[in-house]
C-alpha cells in the first residue's frame, strides 16, 4: 500500500477556506441584510465573524492535535464516549453541510430565474438546484475534484469579481459622499434586526471548517490549518464590509433592493457598471455557488464516510469505490439529502403560494442549515474544555488562550444566534434531528468490527530453515484486533491475493493456484491465506481463540510440507460472520484479488462476497492433485462485466503460454441463449493460441462443461446477470456449470467483478433484454428454464 502523501500548502488551504466562504452568503445575503438593517449589516457580519472565530479557535487547537480529515465529528469522537451524542453531532453536521449546499444551489436557481431564464419560460423553482445537485453528486462520486492549483485560480477569480464590484461602487461618487451615505444608513434597523442578520449570515463563515475537514491532506497541518483559518475569516470579513459599503452607495432604489432580495447584488452591479457589470456579478455568483456547493458535498460525504467507519451510519458509507476511489454511497446519501431539502423547502413548501398551508422557502432553509451547524459547533467548544481536563498531558502544538472562558463564550454565542434564526427553520431542523436520532436508537448502530471479527493469529510464513513457522516480521505471533490494520510489513505494496480457507484439504491447491494467477498479474505477488473460524451462537470469542490458533498452526504445517513455490502468509481469524470477515480483511489489507472455494453448505457467503467485494473474486471448485494444469483453459462467449473479468483472466493465461479454447455453444433446449462470438474473440486478440469450437447442447452449461472436458482444460466463466430471476448464487448458467462440472470432474473458475449501482440496474434489466431478444428470434422461452 502506497504511503499517503500530503500535498496542500498554506496557499491552497487558505484558498479552500476563502473559496468556501465566498458563496451564496456574500452574493445573496448582502441584499437581504441591507434591506433590513442598512449599514448596520456591517455590524451583523462582524458579529457573525467574531462568533465563528471563537469556534474556529477550538477547531484550530483540535486540528493541531488530530491532523486528519473529519472536522467537528472527528474532534467530538476523540473526546466524548456517548454514542448517542456522537451520532447527533455527526448527523447534525451532515444535515448542516447538505442544507448549506441546498441553500447555495437554491439561491443559484433564483439567480437563474432572475437573470438567465427568459421570463416567458415557466420552470418550477428548485429545478435548476436539483439538476445541479445531481450533477455535482455524479462528479464527486466519480472522483472529479479540484486540484490545488485550480482551487487557487477559482478563489482568485471570485475575489477579482468582488473587487471589480467594489471598485465600481466606490468610483460612482466622491469619497465624502460615499461616507455620508454609509453613515446615514446606520439609522435603519435595531439590535434585534442586527442579531437576526448575524444569525443568518453565520452560514457564510462556517467555511473555515472546510480547512479543518481537509487537515489530512495539508502539509504541516499543525501550523498551516490555524493560520489558514484565521487568514480566511479576516479576509472574508474585510470583503463583506466593503461589499456592504458598495451596496449602500448604490443608486438603486432601496425598495427595489428589498424586492430583489437574494438577487439584489446583480441589480446593483447593473446600475454601477452597466450590462457588463451585471453579467460579471451573475457569472461570479453562479460560479461561486457551484464551487462552494462542491466543497460542502465533499465535507458532508467525508462526515458520512467517517460515521460509517465508526458504525454510526451504514458500513457501506465508509466503503471506497474500487474504480473511482471515493466514498460512493456517502456521496449518494449526501446528494439525495440535498435534493430532498430543495424539493421540500423550495418546491413543495415555498415561502409564498404552494398547495399547503406550510410555507418554508429560502429563509427557512437558511435557518435549518445554520441550526445544524451552530449546534455541533457548540458541542465542539464544550469538547475543547473536556479535552483539556481529560488529557492534560496531551501535546497541543496550538493552545487556545482563556480556556474554559473563551469556549464558554463560543457556546453562549452559538446558542444566542440559534434563538434568532427563522423559527420555521428551527422547527424543521429539530424535527429532522429528532427523527434521525430516534431512527439510530431503534437501529442501534452497526456492530463494531472487533465484535464481528478478530485477527487472533497474526500473519506468519514458513521460515527458510526447516519449514518451522515464524512471524512475518521475525517476531512471535501476536493477537491483533481487527480494525487496527495488519502488522507493518515491507511487502505492503505487492500484488496481494487473499485466499480464505475453510477446508484444509483445499488449501494447497488454492494457494498454488493463487500464486500462479498472481504471478501473471505482477511479479512477486503475495498470497495472504486466512483461516476463518466462525463463532457459534451464544459462544464467547475467547473460547474459540485456541481453536483458531491450532487451526492456523495446522494449516501452516500443511502448506510447509507441500513445499509450494509461492510466497505466502497464514493468519487465523475468529468471526461472527464469515463473509464480513473476508470482505473487511480485503478492504483493510487492500487485496487486489480474492480466490476462494465454492461454499457448498453456505451459498450465502459466496453471494455476499460476490456482491460487496472491493476487488475481483475468483470462486474455484474441483481443483485437486489430479486436476488439469492451467496450460489449457476453456471460456464461453457470454457478456457483461463478469464475463469481461473471465476474459481478462483467460487473456493473462493465454499471454503466459496457455491454450485458450473458446466454446461457442448453441443451446438446443431451453437452457440459455447463444452469445456473441466476435465480441469474445476481439477481447482475446493478444493471445497467440486461441481455438474456437462450435458446439450444440441442450443447455449452455452442458456445452461448456463438455468442451472443457474434451480438451482436458480448466473452465473459466463469469457470473451471469440473471440471478435476480431466482435465488441463484452466480446466475443460472454458472450454477448449472458448477453442478455439471462436479459430475465430469472439470475444475471451474467463476469470475466476479465489483458491481456498482449502474451495474446492478443493468443486471436487473438484462433478463428483460434477453427475453425480448429470444422473442425477436422466434424463440418463446420457458419460464422454468432459468
Amino acid at each position: 500500500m502506497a504511503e499517503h502523501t500530503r500535498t496542500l500548502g498554506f496557499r491552497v488551504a487558505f484558498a479552500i477556506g476563502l473559496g468556501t466562504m465566498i458563496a451564496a452568503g456574500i452574493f445573496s445575503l448582502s441584499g437581504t441584510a441591507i434591506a433590513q438593517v442598512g449599514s448596520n449589516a456591517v455590524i451583523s457580519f462582524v458579529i457573525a465573524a467574531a462568533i465563528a472565530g471563537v469556534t474556529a479557535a477550538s477547531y484550530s487547537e483540535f486540528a493541531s492535535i488530530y491532523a486528519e480529515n473529519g472536522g467537528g465529528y472527528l474532534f467530538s469522537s476523540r473526546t466524548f464516549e456517548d454514542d448517542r451524542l456522537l451520532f447527533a453531532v455527526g448527523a447534525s453536521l451532515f444535515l448542516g453541510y447538505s442544507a448549506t449546499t441546498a441553500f447555495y444551489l437554491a439561491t443559484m436557481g433564483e439567480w437563474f430565474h432572475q437573470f438567465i431564464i427568459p421570463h416567458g419560460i415557466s420552470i418550477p423553482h428548485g429545478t435548476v438546484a436539483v439538476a445541479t445537485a445531481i450533477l455535482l453528486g455524479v462528479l464527486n462520486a466519480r472522483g472529479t475534484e479540484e486540484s490545488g492549483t485550480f482551487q487557487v485560480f477559482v478563489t482568485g477569480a471570485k475575489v477579482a469579481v468582488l473587487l471589480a464590484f467594489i471598485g465600481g461602487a466606490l468610483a460612482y461618487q466622491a469619497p465624502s459622499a460615499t461616507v455620508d451615505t454609509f453613515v446615514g444608513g446606520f439609522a435603519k434597523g435595531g439590535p434585534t434586526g442586527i442579531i437576526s442578520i448575524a444569525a443568518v449570515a453565520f452560514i457564510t463563515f462556517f467555511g473555515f471548517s472546510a480547512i479543518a475537514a481537509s487537515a489530512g491532506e495539508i502539509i504541516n497541518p499543525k501550523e498551516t490549518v490555524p493560520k489558514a483559518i484565521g487568514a480566511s475569516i479576516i479576509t472574508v470579513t474585510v470583503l463583506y464590509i466593503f461589499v456592504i459599503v458598495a451596496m449602500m452607495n448604490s443608486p438603486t432604489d432601496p425598495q427595489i433592493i428589498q424586492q430583489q432580495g437574494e438577487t439584489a447584488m446583480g441589480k446593483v452591479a447593473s446600475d454601477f457598471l452597466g450590462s457588463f457589470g451585471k453579467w460579471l456579478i451573475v457569472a461570479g455568483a453562479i460560479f461561486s455557488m457551484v464551487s462552494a456547493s462542491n466543497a460542502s458535498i465533499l465535507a458532508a460525504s467525508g462526515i458520512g464516510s467517517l460515521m460509517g467507519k465508526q458504525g454510526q451510519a451504514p458500513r457501506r458509507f465508509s466503503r471506497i469505490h474500487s474504480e473511482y476511489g471515493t466514498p460512493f454511497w456517502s456521496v449518494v446519501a449526501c446528494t439525495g439529502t440535498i435534493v430532498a431539502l430543495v424539493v421540500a423547502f423550495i418546491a413543495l413548501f415555498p415561502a409564498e403560494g404552494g398547495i399547503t398551508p406550510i410555507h418554508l422557502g429560502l429563509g427557512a432553509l437558511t435557518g435549518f442549515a445554520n441550526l445544524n451547524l451552530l449546534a455541533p459547533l457548540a458541542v465542539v467548544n464544550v469538547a475543547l474544555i473536556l479535552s483539556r481536563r481529560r488529557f492534560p498531558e496531551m501535546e497541543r502544538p496550538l493552545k487556545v488562550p482563556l480556556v474554559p472562558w473563551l469556549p464558554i463564550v463560543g457556546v453562549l454565542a452559538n446558542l444566542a444566534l440559534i434563538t434568532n434564526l427563522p423559527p420555521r427553520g428551527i422547527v424543521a431542523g429539530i424535527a429532522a434531528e429528532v427523527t434521525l436520532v430516534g431512527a439510530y436508537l431503534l437501529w442501534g448502530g452497526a456492530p463494531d468490527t472487533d465484535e464481528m471479527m478478530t485477527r487472533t493469529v497474526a500473519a506468519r510464513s514458513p521460515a527458510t530453515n526447516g519449514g518451522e513457522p515464524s512471524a512475518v516480521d521475525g517476531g512471535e505471533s501476536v493477537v491483533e484486533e481487527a480494525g487496527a490494520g495488519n502488522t507493518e510489513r515491507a511487502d505492503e505494496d505487492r500484488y496481494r491475493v487473499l485466499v480464505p480457507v475453510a477446508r484444509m484439504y483445499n488449501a494447497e491447491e488454492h494457494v498454488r493456484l493463487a500464486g500462479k494467477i498472481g504471478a501473471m498479474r505482477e511479479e512477486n505477488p503475495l498470497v495472504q491465506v486466512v483461516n476463518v473460524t466462525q463463532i457459534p451462537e451464544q459462544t464467547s470469542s475467547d473460547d474459540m481463540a485456541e481453536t483458531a490458533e491450532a487451526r492456523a498452526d495446522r494449516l501452516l504445517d500443511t502448506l510447509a510440507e507441500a513445499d509450494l513455490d509461492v510466497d505466502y502468509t497464514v493468519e487465523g481469524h475468529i468471526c461472527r460472520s464469515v463473509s464480513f470477515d473476508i470482505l473487511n480483511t480485503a478492504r483493510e489489507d487492500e487485496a487486489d484479488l480474492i480466490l476462494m472455494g465454492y461454499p457448498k453448505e453456505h451459498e450465502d457467503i459466496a453471494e455476499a462476497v460476490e456482491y460487496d467485494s472491493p476487488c475481483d473474486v475468483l470462486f474455484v471448485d474441483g481443483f485437486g492433485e489430479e486436476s488439469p494444469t492451467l496450460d489449457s483453459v476453456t471460456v464461453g462467449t457470454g457478456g457483461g462485466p463478469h464475463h469481461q473479468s473471465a476474459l481478462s483472466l483467460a487473456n493473462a493465461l493465454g499471454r503466459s503460454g496457455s491454450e485458450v479454447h473458446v466454446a461457442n455453444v448453441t443451446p438446443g433446449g431451453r437452457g440459455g441463449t447463444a452469445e456473441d462470438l466476435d465480441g469474445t474473440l476481439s477481447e482475446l486478440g493478444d493471445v497467440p493460441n486461441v481455438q474456437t469450437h462450435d458446439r450444440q447442447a441442450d443447455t449452455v452449461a452442458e456445452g461448456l462443461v463438455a468442451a472443457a472436458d474434451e480438451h482436458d482444460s480448466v473452465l473459466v466463466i463469469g457470473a451471469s446477470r440473471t440471478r435476480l430471476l431466482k435465488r441463484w448464487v452466480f446466475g443460472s448458467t454458472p450454477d448449472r456449470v458448477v453442478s455439471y462440472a462436479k459430475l465430469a470432474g472439470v475444475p471451474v473458475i467463476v469470475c466476479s467483478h465489483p458491481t456498482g449501482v449502474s451495474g446492478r440496474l443493468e443486471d436487473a434489466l438484462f433478463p428483460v433484454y434477453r427475453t425480448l431478444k429470444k422473442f425477436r428470434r422466434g424463440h418463446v422461452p420457458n419460464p422454468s428454464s432459468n
Side-chain angles (χ1 to χ4, degrees):
M1 180 178 62
E3 183 179 355
H4 176 70
T5 303
R6 300 175 184 268
T7 59
L8 307 182
F10 170 81
R11 184 179 62 169
V12 178
F14 172 64
I16 288 174
L18 198 61
T20 307
M21 294 182 195
I22 300 176
I26 202 165
F27 284 100
S28 67
L29 292 180
S30 54
T32 302
I34 287 176
Q36 293 187 25
V37 297
S39 298
N40 288 300
V42 169
I43 300 176
S44 297
F45 283 109
V46 170
I47 290 173
I51 294 174
V54 172
T55 303
S58 297
Y59 262 72
S60 296
E61 178 167 327
F62 275 125
S64 74
I65 302 169
Y66 309 115
E68 307 169 38
N69 295 336
Y73 177 68
L74 170 69
F75 306 151
S76 298
S77 66
R78 296 296 176 87
T79 307
F80 300 106
E81 297 179 351
D82 190 300
D83 288 342
R84 293 163 296 185
L85 174 61
L86 293 179
F87 173 81
V89 171
S92 187
L93 284 171
F94 185 85
L95 285 175
Y97 279 119
S98 300
T100 299
T101 305
F103 168 71
Y104 291 160
L105 297 181
T107 302
M108 185 193 72
E110 296 305 312
W111 280 69
F112 264 84
H113 279 278
Q114 180 66 31
F115 297 109
I116 297 178
I117 300 174
H119 290 179
I121 299 177
S122 178
I123 297 178
H125 287 258
T127 303
V128 173
V130 168
T132 308
I134 294 173
L135 176 61
L136 289 175
V138 170
L139 291 176
N140 277 278
R142 294 180 66 88
T144 301
E145 60 184 70
E146 297 172 340
S147 66
T149 302
F150 182 63
Q151 178 66 30
V152 173
F153 171 77
V154 169
T155 303
K158 294 179 183 181
V159 173
V161 168
L162 291 177
L163 291 178
F165 173 79
I166 293 169
L170 296 180
Y172 177 72
Q173 59 183 4
S176 58
T178 299
V179 173
D180 291 341
T181 303
F182 179 69
V183 172
F186 281 104
K188 187 175 183 179
T192 302
I194 293 173
I195 298 300
S196 297
I197 293 297
V200 174
F202 184 83
I203 194 173
T204 298
F205 295 97
F206 190 70
F208 73 81
S209 66
I211 302 174
S214 303
E217 315 300 326
I218 295 175
I219 301 170
N220 192 18
K222 295 180 179 181
E223 294 184 8
T224 304
V225 170
K227 291 180 180 178
I229 287 176
S232 60
I233 290 179
I234 293 172
T235 302
V236 169
T237 303
V238 172
L239 281 173
Y240 262 106
I241 291 173
F242 278 102
V243 167
I244 296 300
V245 172
M247 293 283 286
M248 290 299 300
N249 198 38
S250 166
T252 307
D253 191 307
Q255 291 186 346
I256 295 178
I257 291 180
Q258 186 168 1
Q259 291 171 359
Q260 293 282 82
E262 61 273 356
T263 61
M265 194 170 178
K267 174 62 177 171
V268 172
S270 178
D271 292 340
F272 279 146
L273 303 171
S275 178
F276 169 77
K278 181 185 76 172
W279 290 113
L280 181 67
I281 290 298
V282 169
I286 291 175
F287 192 61
S288 294
M289 294 175 204
V290 171
S291 175
S293 295
N294 187 61
S296 294
I297 290 175
L298 286 172
S301 60
I303 296 292
S305 177
L306 184 57
M307 292 181 71
K309 185 177 181 179
Q310 298 190 168
Q312 294 197 310
R315 292 281 185 195
R316 192 177 296 271
F317 280 25
S318 66
R319 296 178 187 171
I320 303 301
H321 195 282
S322 58
E323 181 179 354
Y324 304 139
T326 61
F328 182 86
W329 289 106
S330 184
V331 174
V332 169
C334 176
T335 304
T337 303
I338 294 167
V339 170
L341 290 171
V342 171
V343 170
F345 281 81
I346 307 302
L348 295 180
F349 309 111
E352 298 178 358
I355 58 176
T356 70
I358 301 175
H359 300 293
L360 297 176
L362 270 178
L365 180 56
T366 309
F368 182 97
N370 275 303
L371 172 70
N372 282 288
L373 297 177
L374 286 165
L377 289 188
V379 176
V380 171
N381 280 307
V382 174
L384 180 62
I385 299 173
L386 183 60
S387 175
R388 289 281 189 95
R389 293 184 177 181
R390 287 188 61 189
F391 312 111
E393 304 300 324
M394 179 179 289
E395 181 184 354
R396 300 173 187 271
L398 174 71
K399 292 191 70 172
V400 175
L402 303 177
V403 174
W405 305 113
L406 191 62
I408 290 175
V409 170
V411 172
L412 295 177
N414 289 334
L415 296 178
L417 289 185
I418 289 176
T419 61
N420 285 274
L421 292 173
R424 287 172 294 179
I426 295 177
V427 172
I430 292 175
E433 184 74 12
V434 169
T435 300
L436 287 178
V437 172
Y440 174 75
L441 293 177
L442 290 175
W443 172 43
D448 289 340
T449 302
D450 56 5
E451 292 180 3
M452 296 292 292
M453 62 170 284
T454 304
R455 298 177 189 252
T456 307
V457 182
R460 297 181 293 172
S461 63
T464 55
N465 53 347
E468 292 297 325
S470 64
V472 171
D473 55 356
E476 294 294 322
S477 172
V478 297
V479 177
E480 181 180 32
E481 294 293 325
N486 224 335
T487 52
E488 291 294 329
R489 296 188 291 268
D491 49 33
E492 284 184 338
D493 57 349
R494 295 164 64 184
Y495 188 89
R496 184 182 295 267
V497 184
L498 176 63
V499 180
V501 172
R503 301 173 181 84
M504 297 292 176
Y505 58 81
N506 285 332
E508 178 183 336
E509 291 303 321
H510 287 184
V511 172
R512 182 178 285 112
L513 181 62
K516 290 180 179 178
I517 294 175
M520 291 185 303
R521 301 293 188 183
E522 190 175 295
E523 186 179 355
N524 193 28
L526 176 67
V527 177
Q528 180 182 357
V529 186
V530 176
N531 180 252
V532 181
T533 301
Q534 187 168 13
I535 306 171
E537 292 294 331
Q538 299 181 346
T539 301
S540 170
S541 59
D542 295 336
D543 296 337
M544 302 301 298
E546 291 185 7
T547 301
E549 186 167 0
R551 294 184 65 182
D553 288 340
R554 185 154 56 95
L555 177 58
L556 189 60
D557 291 340
T558 299
L559 295 177
E561 291 174 2
D563 193 25
L564 300 172
D565 187 21
V566 179
D567 195 358
Y568 65 88
T569 62
V570 174
E571 56 193 89
H573 296 183
I574 57 176
C575 67
R576 297 287 179 184
S577 168
V578 174
S579 60
F580 179 90
D581 189 298
I582 295 171
L583 293 168
N584 197 66
T585 301
R587 293 190 189 98
E588 286 189 344
D589 295 352
E590 298 189 348
D592 299 290
L593 178 70
I594 299 175
L595 187 148
M596 59 185 291
Y598 181 90
K600 298 177 176 61
E601 294 85 12
H602 303 286
E603 296 177 343
D604 58 313
I605 296 175
E607 184 178 26
V609 172
E610 180 200 348
Y611 269 108
D612 293 327
S613 173
C615 58
D616 280 1
V617 185
L618 304 182
F619 297 93
V620 301
D621 192 63
F623 284 85
E625 293 183 3
E626 303 300 325
S627 299
T629 65
L630 293 175
D631 293 338
S632 176
V633 295
T634 297
V635 296
T637 55
H642 303 300
H643 181 61
Q644 293 297 318
S645 180
L647 291 181
S648 175
L649 176 59
N651 223 325
L653 289 167
R655 290 197 305 270
S656 65
S658 299
E659 292 183 353
V660 178
H661 300 271
V662 179
N664 184 31
V665 182
T666 301
R670 298 286 194 266
T673 303
E675 300 288 355
D676 180 18
L677 173 62
D678 293 338
T680 297
L681 291 177
S682 67
E683 294 290 334
L684 298 172
D686 296 335
V687 178
N689 191 356
V690 178
Q691 302 178 35
T692 304
H693 311 277
D694 294 323
R695 301 191 67 91
Q696 293 279 343
D698 287 342
T699 66
V700 172
E702 289 176 283
L704 290 174
V705 172
D709 190 28
E710 177 182 333
H711 299 100
D712 195 28
S713 63
V714 175
L715 181 55
V716 178
I717 60 174
S720 80
R721 295 179 290 178
T722 59
R723 68 185 70 111
L724 295 181
L725 296 179
K726 281 189 177 181
R727 291 293 294 176
W728 303 105
V729 179
F730 303 121
S732 55
T733 296
D735 277 8
R736 288 195 180 105
V737 164
V738 172
S739 178
Y740 294 146
K742 291 182 191 299
L743 300 176
V746 172
V748 181
I749 300 177
V750 181
C751 304
S752 172
H753 183 73
T755 305
V757 175
S758 59
R760 296 192 185 189
L761 289 175
E762 183 182 346
D763 285 355
L765 296 175
F766 181 75
V768 178
Y769 158 76
R770 172 168 283 183
T771 301
L772 293 175
K773 187 176 179 181
K774 288 181 178 180
F775 272 113
R776 226 172 320 172
R777 292 177 176 177
H779 177 191
V780 181
N782 181 348
S784 65
S785 65
N786 286 322

